[in-house]
Amino acid sequence: MIVSGSASQSFAAALATATGRELSAVAYDRFPDGELHAAVPEFDADHAVVVVSTVSSDAHVQLLQLQDAVREAGASEVTTVLPYMGYARQDRAFSAGEPVSARAMARAISTGTDRVLTVNPHEEAICDFFDVPAESVDAAGRLADPLPADLADPLFLAPDEGATDLADTVRSAYGSGATDHFVKERDHDTGEVVVEPSDAAVGDRDVVLVDDIVATGSTMSEAIDVLHGRGVDRVFVTCLHPLLVENARTKLARAGVAALYGTDTIERPESRVSAAPAVGRHL
Ligand code: R5P
């Protein structure tokens, strides 16, 4: 039985289709004081799969409630799927007194589940923060699907070294092209991003920028600016998790992006491919 958080309904439906499991009814309410209430009807299944992208504090609360609700409804085994795990980027404390928020969230989530699956977390190591078995699922290969078939001598470019493996996975799924990476520095006070270009020649080529997350769009728009300064032809942006907060779309449009794609780990108009079949193979 698959049970969905309110922000992951399409993903959960796709997971139900991919795995042939039933999709549970679920009701989301809010009390007058602002408190949330997420509930499921009783069901006839021992194993519940709770699917919630923790994109907000409300989504975190809803996840904890649904984990509890499915046990009340009769499930003896609970698997939690976090298509996108919020707070995963806060995976270390830079000074005494700072929280390791990813660990705090992982511990809380662990209390209501037997197992966790998450899609391409920012750092693989966050799986170790859970007190139950936790695995990451790699859905990056699907990011090649929406790309045009006629890319000119494509370069699959990571905006920082950490995303190089993702860029290589997308290149390999596309079937041709080269991989490279830029070097990124972010000012942690202002959020401003500076991208140091590699020496890869991009003149008259198409570039596909690949990252795990596009949040404010600062990283990608800065990278696109650099590429346009070097005579690139088209620049496509693709990512696993299209958070797209604040004015990200405007920044990318002003930078001249040819197209922007993501998966449905975060449900946005740009979520052109589904990571659900990849998750289904791990259930
Ligand atoms: C950070 O290292 C991540 O991989 C992404 O590069 C980052 O989250 C993108 O954030 P933004 O879109 O705000 O620049």
Side-chain angles (χ1 to χ4, degrees), residues 67-89:
Q67 288 174 329
D68 204 64
V70 295
R71 300 256 190 218
E72 288 291 325
S76 55
E77 183 187 352
V78 178
T79 298
T80 296
V81 175
L82 305 169
Y84 170 74
M85 180 182 167
Y87 287 89
R89 287 180 291 176

Side-chain angles (χ1 to χ4, degrees), residues 22 26 30 32 37 69-70 146 153 156 175 186 250 272:
E22 203 179 330
V26 59
R30 188 182 288 277
H37 185 259
V70 295
D153 191 13
F156 293 83
R186 186 190 293 268
T250 302
R272 289 278 304 277

Side-chain angles (χ1 to χ4, degrees), residues 189-204:
D189 292 328
T190 63
E192 199 179 313
V193 170
V194 179
V195 162
E196 283 294 327
S198 73
D199 54 11
V202 295
D204 299 324

Side-chain angles (χ1 to χ4, degrees), residues 89 122 159-160 184 186 193 211-220:
R89 287 180 291 176
H122 182 58
D160 59 40
K184 178 173 97 177
R186 186 190 293 268
V193 170
D211 207 351
D212 58 341
I213 301 169
V214 177
T216 64
S218 296
T219 301
M220 289 303 199

